[in-house]
Amino acid sequence: MLKKTEIASMPSDLIGSSPVRPDGVPKVTGMAQYGADYSLPGMLWAKILRSPHAHARIKSIDTSRARALKGVKAVMTGHDLPEQPFAYHGPERVQINFWHMTRNVMAREKALFAGHPVAAVAATTQAIAQEALELIDVQYEVLPHVIDVDEAMRDDAPVLFDDLFTRGIEPAPSKASNIARRSELAVGDIAAGFEQADEIVEMSFKTAPVHQGYIEPHAALARYGSDGQCEVWSSSQGHFFVRAYTAALVGLKQNDVVVHPAEIGGGFGGKTVVYLEPVALMLSRMSGYPVKVVMTREEVLIATGPTSGSSMRVKLGVTREGKIVAAEGEFKFQAGAFPGSPMLNGMMCALSVYEVPNARLVGYDVVSNRPKAVAYRAPGSPIAAFAVESVVDELARRLQIDPIELRLKNAVQAGSPTIWGPKHAHDGFRETLLALQQHPDYHKPLGPNQGRGLASGFWFNGGGESSATIHVSEDGSIALATGSMDVGGSRASMAMMAAETLGVPYESVRSTVADTASIGYNHVTGGSRVTYATGMAVIQACEKIIEDMRARAAMIWDVDPEAVVWEQGAARLADASAGAQEPLSLKDIAAKRAVTGGPIVAEIAVNAGGQAPGFTSQFCDVEVDPETGAVKILRFVAAQDVGRAIHRRYVEGQIEGGVVQGIGWALNETYVYNDRGQLENAGFLDYRVPVASDLPMIEALIVEVPNPNHPFGVKGAGEVNIVPVMAAVGNAIRGAAGVRMTELPMSPPAVLAALDEQAVHA
Amino acid sequence: MLKKTEIASMPSDLIGSSPVRPDGVPKVTGMAQYGADYSLPGMLWAKILRSPHAHARIKSIDTSRARALKGVKAVMTGHDLPEQPFAYHGPERVQINFWHMTRNVMAREKALFAGHPVAAVAATTQAIAQEALELIDVQYEVLPHVIDVDEAMRDDAPVLFDDLFTRGIEPAPSKASNIARRSELAVGDIAAGFEQADEIVEMSFKTAPVHQGYIEPHAALARYGSDGQCEVWSSSQGHFFVRAYTAALVGLKQNDVVVHPAEIGGGFGGKTVVYLEPVALMLSRMSGYPVKVVMTREEVLIATGPTSGSSMRVKLGVTREGKIVAAEGEFKFQAGAFPGSPMLNGMMCALSVYEVPNARLVGYDVVSNRPKAVAYRAPGSPIAAFAVESVVDELARRLQIDPIELRLKNAVQAGSPTIWGPKHAHDGFRETLLALQQHPDYHKPLGPNQGRGLASGFWFNGGGESSATIHVSEDGSIALATGSMDVGGSRASMAMMAAETLGVPYESVRSTVADTASIGYNHVTGGSRVTYATGMAVIQACEKIIEDMRARAAMIWDVDPEAVVWEQGAARLADASAGAQEPLSLKDIAAKRAVTGGPIVAEIAVNAGGQAPGFTSQFCDVEVDPETGAVKILRFVAAQDVGRAIHRRYVEGQIEGGVVQGIGWALNETYVYNDRGQLENAGFLDYRVPVASDLPMIEALIVEVPNPNHPFGVKGAGEVNIVPVMAAVGNAIRGAAGVRMTELPMSPPAVLAALDEQAVHA
């Protein structure tokens, strides 16, 4: 059997190439089935009634007129879902707070944001369901609301939960507030650290919450059997969490619910929660029919996502030689209507590309009257990076050191400390800086009003639980299944790793995603974990198949299995001189399946540790229009250590995609709330994600510092690419126009205002 | 770990009980999805043009007018499917003749029966597809045809294939005929045998071909990706053979095609072939859209199924004491339009309940201009049993021995010889006779025009290749999947065996059928193999889970896995005095899944030998109306050895179902062809399957002689129950009215004619 190290070091024409994607043709020909594309006979359509108020007590809901409408088969409110344990301020960290989750799915006591679901209708047509919504009479007591994170932290702010007492403070406060948690990370002695500093920069920042901006709205189809056997079809980043959450919220055992995977039109972290599935399933239970519900774009924008907005203060001290000696930071993250922002992630990532001997970071998780924050590509890290990398840039300017040089002086590598305890175990960061340093564009001269900005980023990358199966048919073709939703090309990368491990052509592997009834648990597709962890399960399943193939060949040849080796996709006698057997290919052996023991199967489950983090460094050139404040990005170069690229174009696509989303976050995207707390730009015409004409050439530099824990050296590639983008753009604007933008988005009016203020002070 | 024998001998409240069926509620609430219930966005409908002629050369097919019709997206003929290797009279036995199969799916050179597909259309609506069929211009050269098996064997019969030379004859004939094969089975010396006989009975019989009569017509939905990635949804008895056949006929690798299981509305052997799937997939390929095709009832009756009709002659010799000493038989089986009747099966089963020292059976597989014969419940055996068991009944009358006594004198048991070589390995037959002998109804007096008939039957039962997976969720609920289509309750029996093996409640197991991409190969659901073979895979998968559970418990307790036993669904320390650990239930351990190694999975594949045959003995009481010839069945008692019943009501249902189908075959079902070879009773009004009011109380006597090769003693229960029914009814008519019916169906006109003839000769 092949050893891991043998595989990793084996030259390969396949690994790192870009074969045809299994999802390519179905997507471009329209045959791919997304969440909304599933239908069942007798199916009803559901629509959801949402609160128009940002903050209101629900005094009563009268659904009788809606129920009486012809064609309406069921009407539900939040109280139709079973109550969940109140795990709000328990002593231990509660990973999943179902008491919150059920109220996020549908409000009970209070509506906490404009768009919060308060009731739902299932009817024979969409039009009837819509009409029925208007017949539901909800009596609200409208309360004062708060949107902004700094305002939400004020003593006199309207409080969302009367019983929310900040955790992480000793002694616990006796007064309820919107601060759900205070966290602190510290190392060394910051007072002593700042004493050593020759230059200190301290700045405050604000970032806007931005939506994940996936093209495909949420959709779910559910069928509740009256014997409790249920099925759900939905688009998500993980049908196993859909199963777990939906079962818990509806009050079922996990295996009562079979969740089928659907093609996904983008998720970026935003499809790691349930909104519609429990509603559709409960309406199916109440009506006795299958129920389908599809969000409009407006619903997506008012009631799903986004990532947190923030308010931050960062202070860094550096010696004349460029060694960072002290860091202090305050990170206030919006959680939205329920606790749980990526504040801690943000703090952990904030300084993680640098060796900082003395640091103290304090964070706050703050609720306010907007949709509950959800994961978005390296959640937390880009927010913190905007602050830290802007300050580092300012330090480089003060010291007149090239920003790459400054970073190289402080760059982490294997053995460097982290602020959260264990040491870094992997290299890769320096290599991204060196890749940019060697790039000719980094040294190109700039024109008037042009500037170049550089920034770096860190992301953990994930491992964890995954399962994979390999089944070999008698014609030698191979079925590969995993339980990992294919968000970013995993069907392709899994097939490539399987083909490479088995020594068979890529084309002979059919790569699919199995439903929750047919394969072992797979953790969510997120955290850049799938190519690493699910890939590990795939490779191990292939190794098990090889072991089986050797045993079958040994049976056919009547020799000991140890005498058989597997090379280039065929069983061979280890000692070629021992016999004159022709090699038996996988196809040869598969054809004799029945007489050598029956079906050829392998299922492997892993809880993969040994993952390695993602590092990236990026620079961009911008030109600022002094008349309008408009920022044009001229070029963008992103170097990222991915360990090893399996499917090269997919990895490039991940890098390009992260940069594009970062550019939107940097320059345009924001939520515009009116004074009643209602979103005024709930559509893609007004919520401006970048389109092709907004974008420069993006060059993805794939850096490969292999992860020794993975047979092919994989680290993960999906997220870190977004981390430094806003800082890189901000730093470039600083270079182009002399203004330091500290608030996102850096839209034309904001830049123009900064230019005007600069002119006033000049 | 539990030993097999421990499980089998363990008293169980579950095994043999009748818990709620997983398919019950979905079926009665209409939520179950059968083949025709699947749809896809953008789907086209297909219709099939069929030959009106029983035998005709296809001179040309002009599809241009059909193609020009608005809404038509593709038109295909047989030549659009790739040609298959001509494996017609190769030297070796060809198990699957794809050259025939592709022509059965769609005619090429010749239409061989009225109803033979000659072209197909895919269009945006069913109406347009139907209209387009009428625009296809097929030029036929009509040829003489032959329907009956005896006529088809005549020298001057119209010959279906110019190059069909009978196999099994040395030297091979030089003249083509309709006799595809001659087979012979022999043991001992029949001349010497008949010498010893005191009584000899020789009779000739004819049986009608009958349709499997499933309620659900064939249906298929297929999607051909332009990258060759295909999906098929259809109702069948095995999605793995659908995949294999469809891939071969369309020219794809097996794993290019993912076949999804559907609920099945009856198959009985008739859904072990493909008719529509290759047509739908090819039309999808040609059109670029998903294509759905659903047969009408008329299409089902003119072009699918049935089992063979036959013409037989059987001669048995018996001593005065009742020992059968010699047997001779001739079995001419209709194959329909292509070779391949269950003639050899029929001959193997014919004498298999008796020890017959001298026997010679000759069989013929004969083509004629009717639909290709397909498997039907114990294929071949009921046909042969009608002849043999009628003759045995006649012998009992001659000898004036009770028919049970006569059979007991000759009954096979473990160690008895078979006509095909190996000895019988299992008991069970005598026990079915004894069960009837002890039944009070067997001794009840009869009224005027009433008679009692008894007959016995044999079926091999199957083993073979199956795969199963078990996945345990963190809440302790269990997903069980197999690749065996659930035709007769296997989801229930699998869940019961899993729950019993694991020691958990039945309700905690969710039992499903996985698609072909998600599980290892499972052979077709047929041959009464699933409860045995797939059950073996399920039990072994559970044993693997138990092993895993013990290892995880050992990890939690920090002890050696060998110190842990699994009892009553929990891990316990083997030596209770060694420590004071509370038992860890499956649920306890599942909750710690992530920290004890990750997902809990097991996939097991088996090629199960060790199956045991099914034996049955049955009697029925009938009353013959001398005025009309109508036969009323008064009661029916069927004793069947099933080894061990897992789900009791399902087993009873199998027995009742087999008897009902046998009653239809005995009394009513037949194909009425006009002189042009067209079926005139292609509908359930005219093709008379029994309805509830036709049926007596059927009493299923479950006999349990455990199969020692299976942990629970399972043998299989699905098929043998149909084997003796026609003979039992015929024997009862003989008792009631004194006439020996030798032709099926024994319909009122036929019985009346026999009564009339008896009166003439009286």
Side-chain angles (χ1 to χ4, degrees):
Chain A
M1 202 166 93
L2 283 173
K3 298 288 184 311
K4 281 182 185 178
T5 47
E6 287 175 316
I7 298 176
S9 62
M10 209 158 58
S12 167
D13 292 337
L14 181 58
I15 300 295
S17 71
S18 302
V20 173
R21 300 159 43 155
D23 60 326
V25 168
K27 282 178 179 165
V28 299
T29 60
M31 281 216 185
Q33 277 192 276
Y34 294 90
D37 292 330
Y38 289 85
S39 294
L40 289 172
M43 182 182 83
L44 305 178
W45 285 88
K47 289 279 180 186
I48 293 175
L49 183 67
R50 296 173 184 278
S51 168
H53 306 297
H55 194 192
R57 195 171 312 282
I58 297 171
K59 292 158 65 182
S60 65
I61 305 179
D62 181 353
T63 61
S64 55
R65 287 200 305 148
R67 282 176 213 275
L69 184 66
K70 187 169 152 66
V72 170
K73 300 293 182 184
V75 182
M76 73 174 282
T77 69
H79 293 286
D80 288 311
L81 295 170
E83 184 54 294
Q84 298 291 332
F86 184 77
Y88 200 39
H89 38 206
E92 289 171 44
R93 182 161 180 241
V94 178
Q95 287 231 320
I96 297 169
N97 189 321
F98 284 108
W99 196 91
H100 288 157
M101 195 189 286
T102 193
R103 281 162 174 75
N104 194 37
V105 165
M106 199 163 283
R108 298 194 182 190
E109 302 81 7
K110 270 179 159 187
L112 293 170
F113 59 96
H116 200 162
V118 293
V121 171
T124 48
T125 70
Q126 295 190 71
I128 293 172
Q130 189 65 47
E131 188 183 342
L133 292 189
E134 288 154 31
L135 299 176
I136 297 174
D137 181 18
V138 186
Q139 294 294 317
Y140 293 103
E141 177 193 344
V142 179
L143 302 171
H145 70 276
V146 60
I147 297 286
D148 179 75
V149 62
D150 289 312
E151 287 175 23
M153 290 177 76
R154 283 170 52 165
D155 257 5
D156 59 352
V159 167
L160 274 68
F161 300 94
D162 294 339
D163 47 10
L164 177 59
F165 304 99
T166 310
R167 290 161 71 189
I169 296 181
E170 292 295 338
S174 58
K175 184 175 172 242
S177 76
N178 293 322
I179 305 170
R181 171 177 280 278
R182 177 188 181 279
S183 296
E184 185 173 328
L185 293 173
V187 62
D189 177 339
I190 56 162
F194 280 113
E195 279 295 312
Q196 299 164 35
D198 297 306
E199 289 283 357
I200 294 173
V201 171
E202 178 171 7
M203 293 195 289
S204 292
F205 301 87
K206 280 195 107 149
T207 68
V210 291
H211 196 271
Q212 292 81 351
Y214 32 80
I215 300 300
E216 183 199 14
H218 298 264
L221 168 63
R223 171 162 59 185
Y224 190 101
S226 54
D227 55 354
Q229 290 188 125
C230 308
E231 289 185 273
V232 171
W233 291 256
S234 76
S235 168
S236 77
Q237 290 176 240
H239 42 331
F240 282 91
F241 86 78
V242 171
R243 180 181 71 164
Y245 294 176
T246 303
L249 294 181
V250 177
L252 298 163
K253 297 192 294 293
Q254 290 198 10
N255 280 304
D256 291 338
V257 186
V258 176
V259 183
H260 300 271
E263 199 66 62
I264 181 171
F268 310 110
K271 288 180 183 160
T272 58
V273 292
V274 291
Y275 299 108
L276 301 177
E277 292 88 345
V279 173
L281 191 56
M282 183 52 74
L283 287 170
S284 176
R285 177 170 171 167
M286 294 167 82
S287 66
Y289 297 93
V291 173
K292 177 167 169 170
V293 53
V294 181
M295 283 196 196
T296 62
R297 179 71 56 199
E298 182 184 357
E299 287 180 292
V300 170
L301 285 166
I302 67 174
T304 77
T307 188
S308 298
S310 75
S311 176
M312 301 176 283
R313 184 182 56 79
V314 167
K315 178 181 173 188
L316 293 181
V318 64
T319 65
R320 198 163 292 113
E321 295 74 32
K323 280 300 290 176
I324 300 172
V325 287
E328 198 194 340
E330 195 178 42
F331 298 86
K332 303 169 188 166
F333 274 41
Q334 284 175 344
F338 296 93
S341 69
M343 168 267 290
L344 194 61
N345 270 354
M347 293 207 296
M348 289 168 82
C349 294
L351 303 170
S352 280
V353 293
Y354 304 119
E355 290 196 345
V356 183
N358 307 291
R360 194 172 77 102
L361 308 180
V362 175
Y364 299 94
D365 181 44
V366 184
V367 296
S368 65
N369 296 112
R370 47 198 314 164
K372 165 87 177 72
V374 188
Y376 180 29
R377 213 163 191 154
S381 187
I383 299 167
F386 177 60
V388 171
E389 291 294 292
S390 294
V391 173
V392 170
D393 189 70
E394 210 54 46
L395 285 171
R397 291 178 182 279
R398 297 266 182 101
L399 295 170
Q400 292 184 296
I401 300 181
D402 174 82
I404 294 183
E405 283 301 329
L406 178 61
R407 284 172 174 83
L408 281 171
K409 284 178 196 289
N410 297 281
V412 292
Q413 54 191 350
S416 297
T418 67
I419 199 168
W420 66 88
K423 290 192 189 310
H424 279 279
H426 296 274
D427 292 332
F429 178 44
R430 297 177 61 85
E431 289 78 358
T432 65
L433 289 166
L434 296 172
L436 293 188
Q437 202 171 45
Q438 288 154 18
H439 195 283
D441 283 5
Y442 187 65
H443 308 284
K444 271 197 182 155
L446 294 162
N449 298 318
Q450 295 184 352
R452 179 166 295 145
L454 182 137
S456 294
F458 168 90
W459 180 245
F460 305 99
N461 290 343
E465 293 180 285
S466 282
S467 305
T469 61
I470 299 280
H471 299 108
V472 182
S473 294
E474 72 238 46
D475 67 356
S477 64
I478 290 156
L480 180 169
T482 75
S484 291
M485 300 292 296
D486 182 356
V487 169
S490 52
R491 276 166 297 184
S493 60
M494 298 301 138
M496 293 171 78
M497 289 188 278
E500 182 71 15
T501 306
L502 293 169
V504 300
Y506 171 75
E507 293 70 26
S508 68
V509 181
R510 174 75 180 263
S511 185
T512 60
V513 182
D515 63 47
T516 60
S518 307
I519 198 161
Y521 177 78
N522 282 56
H523 194 58
V524 65
T525 297
S528 300
R529 61 173 295 278
V530 170
T531 315
Y532 181 75
T534 309
M536 201 83 101
V538 168
I539 292 163
Q540 290 182 17
C542 291
E543 287 169 345
K544 194 173 172 194
I545 293 289
I546 290 171
E547 205 177 328
D548 187 5
M549 288 286 158
R550 288 171 59 229
R552 290 173 193 255
M555 187 186 296
I556 293 166
W557 288 332
D558 196 17
V559 300
D560 191 278
E562 293 305 308
V564 180
V565 292
W566 189 261
E567 282 170 16
Q568 295 169 279
R572 298 155 201 272
L573 282 175
D575 179 0
S577 65
Q581 298 289 6
E582 282 295 304
L584 284 168
S585 70
L586 181 135
K587 195 172 172 176
D588 298 334
I589 299 170
K592 292 178 191 282
R593 183 191 72 197
V595 295
T596 55
I600 302 167
V601 310
E603 177 162 17
I604 290 288
V606 300
N607 189 355
Q611 67 268 30
F615 292 108
T616 187
S617 296
Q618 307 175 339
F619 74 84
C620 66
D621 294 348
V622 305
E623 184 170 315
V624 177
D625 182 338
E627 303 289 326
T628 63
V631 175
K632 182 173 184 193
I633 298 180
L634 305 171
R635 64 175 62 85
F636 206 111
V637 181
Q640 181 178 334
D641 173 28
V642 301
R644 189 163 179 197
I646 301 298
H647 190 289
R648 182 160 297 265
R649 280 204 202 133
Y650 250 130
V651 172
E652 289 170 355
Q654 287 288 340
I655 296 174
E656 291 160 5
V659 170
V660 169
Q661 292 190 311
I663 289 171
W665 199 345
L667 297 181
N668 284 105
E669 294 179 42
T670 193
Y671 281 57
V672 180
Y673 283 99
N674 67 18
D675 58 8
R676 284 173 296 156
Q678 295 161 325
L679 189 63
E680 296 214 314
N681 60 335
F684 274 162
L685 280 176
D686 297 315
Y687 182 92
R688 279 272 285 128
V689 298
V691 296
S693 56
D694 295 325
L695 294 167
M697 167 67 191
I698 298 167
E699 186 173 347
L701 291 182
I702 296 177
V703 175
E704 292 183 304
V705 181
N707 176 3
N709 301 324
H710 186 279
F712 295 110
V714 164
K715 286 182 173 171
E719 292 169 284
V720 73
N721 32 61
I722 199 178
V723 174
V725 179
M726 293 78 80
V729 173
N731 296 344
I733 293 170
R734 173 70 175 77
V739 293
R740 168 60 63 190
M741 301 301 297
T742 59
E743 195 160 334
L744 297 182
M746 300 176 284
S747 57
V751 173
L752 201 56
L755 291 172
D756 288 348
E757 196 180 351
Q758 182 189 39
V760 168
H761 288 82
Chain B
M1 200 167 95
L2 285 171
K3 299 287 185 308
K4 284 181 183 180
T5 47
E6 287 176 315
I7 299 176
S9 62
M10 211 159 59
S12 168
D13 292 337
L14 181 58
I15 299 297
S17 71
S18 302
V20 173
R21 301 160 42 156
D23 60 327
V25 168
K27 281 177 179 165
V28 299
T29 58
M31 282 216 185
Q33 276 191 278
Y34 294 90
D37 292 331
Y38 289 84
S39 295
L40 288 173
M43 183 182 84
L44 305 177
W45 284 88
K47 290 278 180 188
I48 292 174
L49 183 68
R50 296 173 184 278
S51 169
H53 308 296
H55 195 191
R57 197 171 311 282
I58 298 171
K59 291 159 63 184
S60 65
I61 305 179
D62 180 354
T63 62
S64 56
R65 286 199 306 148
R67 282 176 214 275
L69 184 66
K70 188 170 152 60
V72 170
K73 300 293 183 184
V75 182
M76 73 174 281
T77 69
H79 292 286
D80 289 311
L81 295 170
E83 185 54 296
Q84 297 292 332
F86 184 78
Y88 201 40
H89 38 207
E92 290 172 42
R93 183 163 179 239
V94 178
Q95 288 231 317
I96 298 169
N97 189 321
F98 284 108
W99 196 91
H100 288 156
M101 195 189 285
T102 193
R103 280 162 175 74
N104 194 35
V105 165
M106 199 164 284
R108 298 194 183 190
E109 302 82 8
K110 271 178 157 188
L112 293 169
F113 59 97
H116 200 160
V118 293
V121 171
T124 49
T125 70
Q126 295 190 71
I128 293 172
Q130 189 63 48
E131 189 184 342
L133 292 189
E134 289 154 30
L135 300 176
I136 297 174
D137 181 19
V138 186
Q139 293 295 318
Y140 294 102
E141 177 194 345
V142 179
L143 303 171
H145 70 275
V146 60
I147 297 286
D148 179 76
V149 60
D150 289 312
E151 288 176 22
M153 289 177 77
R154 284 170 53 167
D155 257 5
D156 59 351
V159 167
L160 274 68
F161 299 94
D162 294 340
D163 47 9
L164 178 60
F165 304 97
T166 310
R167 291 162 69 187
I169 296 181
E170 292 295 338
S174 58
K175 184 174 172 240
S177 77
N178 293 320
I179 305 170
R181 169 177 282 279
R182 177 188 181 279
S183 295
E184 186 173 327
L185 293 173
V187 63
D189 177 339
I190 58 163
F194 281 113
E195 280 293 314
Q196 301 164 35
D198 298 306
E199 288 284 356
I200 293 175
V201 171
E202 178 172 8
M203 293 196 288
S204 292
F205 301 87
K206 279 193 108 148
T207 68
V210 293
H211 196 269
Q212 293 81 352
Y214 32 82
I215 300 301
E216 183 200 15
H218 298 263
L221 169 63
R223 171 163 59 187
Y224 190 100
S226 53
D227 56 353
Q229 289 187 125
C230 307
E231 289 185 273
V232 171
W233 292 255
S234 77
S235 169
S236 77
Q237 290 176 239
H239 43 332
F240 282 92
F241 86 76
V242 171
R243 180 181 71 165
Y245 293 176
T246 304
L249 293 181
V250 178
L252 297 162
K253 297 192 295 293
Q254 290 197 9
N255 280 303
D256 291 338
V257 185
V258 176
V259 183
H260 299 271
E263 199 66 63
I264 180 170
F268 310 109
K271 289 182 182 158
T272 57
V273 291
V274 292
Y275 298 107
L276 301 178
E277 292 87 344
V279 174
L281 190 56
M282 183 51 74
L283 286 170
S284 177
R285 178 172 169 166
M286 294 167 82
S287 66
Y289 298 94
V291 173
K292 177 168 170 171
V293 53
V294 181
M295 283 195 196
T296 62
R297 180 70 57 201
E298 182 184 358
E299 287 180 293
V300 171
L301 285 166
I302 65 174
T304 77
T307 188
S308 297
S310 73
S311 176
M312 300 176 285
R313 184 181 56 79
V314 167
K315 178 180 174 188
L316 292 180
V318 64
T319 66
R320 198 164 292 110
E321 296 73 32
K323 279 299 289 177
I324 301 172
V325 287
E328 197 194 342
E330 194 178 42
F331 299 86
K332 303 170 189 166
F333 274 43
Q334 284 174 345
F338 296 94
S341 70
M343 168 267 287
L344 192 61
N345 269 355
M347 293 207 296
M348 289 168 80
C349 294
L351 303 170
S352 280
V353 294
Y354 304 119
E355 289 196 346
V356 182
N358 308 292
R360 194 172 76 102
L361 308 180
V362 174
Y364 300 93
D365 181 43
V366 183
V367 296
S368 64
N369 296 112
R370 45 198 315 163
K372 164 87 178 73
V374 188
Y376 180 30
R377 213 162 191 155
S381 187
I383 299 167
F386 177 61
V388 171
E389 291 294 293
S390 295
V391 173
V392 170
D393 189 70
E394 211 53 48
L395 286 171
R397 293 179 181 279
R398 298 264 181 100
L399 296 171
Q400 293 183 298
I401 300 181
D402 173 82
I404 292 183
E405 284 301 333
L406 178 61
R407 284 173 174 81
L408 281 170
K409 284 177 196 289
N410 297 281
V412 292
Q413 53 191 355
S416 298
T418 66
I419 199 168
W420 67 88
K423 290 189 187 310
H424 279 280
H426 297 274
D427 291 333
F429 177 46
R430 298 177 61 84
E431 290 77 357
T432 66
L433 289 165
L434 296 172
L436 293 188
Q437 203 172 44
Q438 289 153 19
H439 195 282
D441 283 6
Y442 187 68
H443 308 284
K444 271 197 181 155
L446 293 162
N449 298 317
Q450 293 183 354
R452 180 164 294 144
L454 183 136
S456 295
F458 169 89
W459 180 244
F460 305 99
N461 290 342
E465 292 180 287
S466 282
S467 305
T469 61
I470 299 280
H471 298 108
V472 182
S473 293
E474 72 238 46
D475 67 355
S477 64
I478 290 155
L480 181 169
T482 75
S484 290
M485 300 293 297
D486 181 357
V487 168
S490 53
R491 274 166 299 184
S493 60
M494 298 300 139
M496 293 171 77
M497 289 188 276
E500 183 71 15
T501 307
L502 292 169
V504 299
Y506 171 74
E507 293 70 25
S508 68
V509 182
R510 174 77 181 262
S511 186
T512 59
V513 183
D515 63 47
T516 59
S518 306
I519 198 161
Y521 177 80
N522 282 57
H523 195 58
V524 65
T525 296
S528 300
R529 61 173 294 279
V530 169
T531 314
Y532 181 74
T534 309
M536 200 83 100
V538 168
I539 293 163
Q540 289 182 17
C542 291
E543 288 170 343
K544 193 173 173 195
I545 293 289
I546 291 171
E547 203 177 329
D548 187 5
M549 289 286 160
R550 287 171 59 230
R552 289 173 194 254
M555 187 187 297
I556 293 166
W557 287 332
D558 196 17
V559 301
D560 191 278
E562 293 304 308
V564 181
V565 293
W566 188 261
E567 283 171 17
Q568 294 169 282
R572 297 155 201 272
L573 282 174
D575 179 0
S577 67
Q581 298 289 9
E582 281 294 303
L584 285 169
S585 71
L586 182 135
K587 195 173 172 174
D588 298 334
I589 298 170
K592 292 178 191 284
R593 183 191 73 198
V595 296
T596 55
I600 302 168
V601 311
E603 176 162 17
I604 291 288
V606 300
N607 189 355
Q611 67 269 31
F615 293 107
T616 187
S617 296
Q618 306 175 340
F619 74 83
C620 66
D621 293 349
V622 305
E623 183 170 317
V624 177
D625 183 338
E627 302 290 326
T628 63
V631 175
K632 184 175 182 187
I633 298 181
L634 304 170
R635 63 173 63 85
F636 206 113
V637 181
Q640 181 177 332
D641 173 27
V642 301
R644 189 162 179 199
I646 301 299
H647 189 289
R648 181 161 296 268
R649 281 206 202 131
Y650 251 129
V651 171
E652 289 170 355
Q654 287 289 340
I655 295 172
E656 291 161 5
V659 170
V660 169
Q661 292 191 312
I663 289 172
W665 199 345
L667 296 181
N668 283 104
E669 295 178 42
T670 194
Y671 281 56
V672 180
Y673 283 97
N674 66 20
D675 58 9
R676 283 173 296 157
Q678 295 161 325
L679 190 63
E680 295 213 314
N681 61 335
F684 273 162
L685 281 176
D686 298 315
Y687 182 93
R688 280 273 285 131
V689 298
V691 297
S693 56
D694 295 324
L695 294 167
M697 169 66 193
I698 298 167
E699 187 173 346
L701 291 182
I702 296 177
V703 175
E704 291 182 305
V705 182
N707 175 3
N709 301 324
H710 186 276
F712 295 111
V714 164
K715 286 182 172 170
E719 291 169 284
V720 74
N721 31 61
I722 199 177
V723 174
V725 179
M726 292 78 80
V729 173
N731 295 344
I733 293 170
R734 172 71 176 79
V739 292
R740 169 59 63 189
M741 302 301 297
T742 59
E743 195 159 335
L744 297 182
M746 300 176 283
S747 57
V751 174
L752 201 56
L755 291 172
D756 288 349
E757 193 179 353
Q758 183 187 40
V760 167
H761 288 83

